Amino acid sequence: ETGVTQTPRHLVMGMTNKKSLKCEQHLGHNAMYWYKQSAKKPLELMFVYSLEERVENNSVPSRFSPECPNSSHLFLHLHTLQPEDSALYLCASSQDLGFSYNEQFFGPGTRLTVL
Amino acid sequence: AQSVSQHNHHVILSEAASLELGCNYSYGGTVNLFWYVQYPGQHLQLLLKYFSGDPLVKGIKGFEAEFIKSKFSFNLRKPSVQWSDTAEYFCAVNGTNTGNQFYFGTGTSLTVIP
């Protein structure tokens, strides 16, 4: 595997379910990100991790819980979601954080539908 | 509020037509600028980027973009589009005043008619 991978690619869940999204990067990067992509809206940054430590949490509801066990893996744990949480969830990585000649590499995303 | 604006939401062109997609940002300080492309069913890919130096940046597949600092703009251009350029295009900014964030525009959907 190369680049950034995400599983599952599609997920349908009820509002009372608990599920997790997984992201893995094979690029040796130090920073990882979760974004939410909704139709007609800019990508919304949800969480940022650097060297396994969370450095940004952009007022995301607590029903989304990130986990970064090591610099290659990032999870997004979901519980008691709402239908408006249905979206494409993108994982990205970059060599480092901030303004340091960075570019982000994206995974294919998980298409989440909350019933 | 800091933002990235893409003025064209949906563009439809015939093959061989020229393309220009607008991108404006509202940040002070030094910026890195990016254009990403998302082909149907595929993930976001970097098309080109500007960090410093020549404000006219060449990217993949014949795309280029020009950074005009005085206009806070980074417009994407291609002289002759192909059907395979049909995709969603996103402008993004990361700067000394944006912390750890990359700010993205809402995207422009390009449809190229054969």
Side-chain angles (χ1 to χ4, degrees), chain A residues 72-96:
Chain A
S72 298
H73 293 86
L74 186 63
F75 294 89
L76 188 62
H77 303 298
L78 316 171
H79 63 97
T80 59
L81 294 192
Q82 304 298 311
E84 59 265 29
D85 297 322
S86 298
L88 183 68
Y89 288 84
L90 295 173
C91 176
S93 71
S94 64
Q95 185 61 59
D96 291 296

Side-chain angles (χ1 to χ4, degrees), chain B residues 68-82:
Chain B
I68 303 179
K69 188 175 182 179
S70 61
K71 295 184 177 180
F72 296 87
S73 70
F74 189 56
N75 292 354
L76 180 70
R77 299 195 292 251
K78 184 170 184 179
S80 176
V81 294
Q82 300 173 311

Side-chain angles (χ1 to χ4, degrees), chain B:
Chain B
Q2 298 177 335
S3 68
V4 178
S5 299
Q6 291 183 241
H7 316 295
N8 317 101
H9 297 294
H10 195 177
V11 174
I12 301 174
L13 295 172
S14 298
E15 274 195 316
S18 64
L19 169 72
E20 181 160 4
L21 302 182
C23 173
N24 288 88
Y25 63 93
S26 59
Y27 302 101
T30 307
V31 293
N32 294 331
L33 298 156
F34 308 84
W35 275 99
Y36 283 87
V37 60
Q38 190 171 30
Y39 297 104
Q42 297 188 30
H43 60 278
L44 277 164
Q45 304 170 42
L46 184 68
L47 201 55
L48 50 77
K49 61 189 178 187
Y50 171 81
F51 287 155
S52 63
D54 188 344
L56 185 61
V57 179
K58 303 286 187 183
I60 60 171
K61 303 186 180 184
F63 286 90
E64 65 177 30
E66 185 176 12
F67 171 45
I68 303 179
K69 188 175 182 179
S70 61
K71 295 184 177 180
F72 296 87
S73 70
F74 189 56
N75 292 354
L76 180 70
R77 299 195 292 251
K78 184 170 184 179
S80 176
V81 294
Q82 300 173 311
W83 174 79
S84 57
D85 294 324
T86 295
E88 192 94 15
Y89 292 82
F90 295 89
C91 181
V93 177
N94 162 243
T96 53
N97 290 348
T98 68
N100 296 319
Q101 298 223 33
F102 285 71
Y103 288 92
F104 285 80
T106 53
T108 297
S109 175
L110 171 66
T111 301
V112 180
I113 302 170

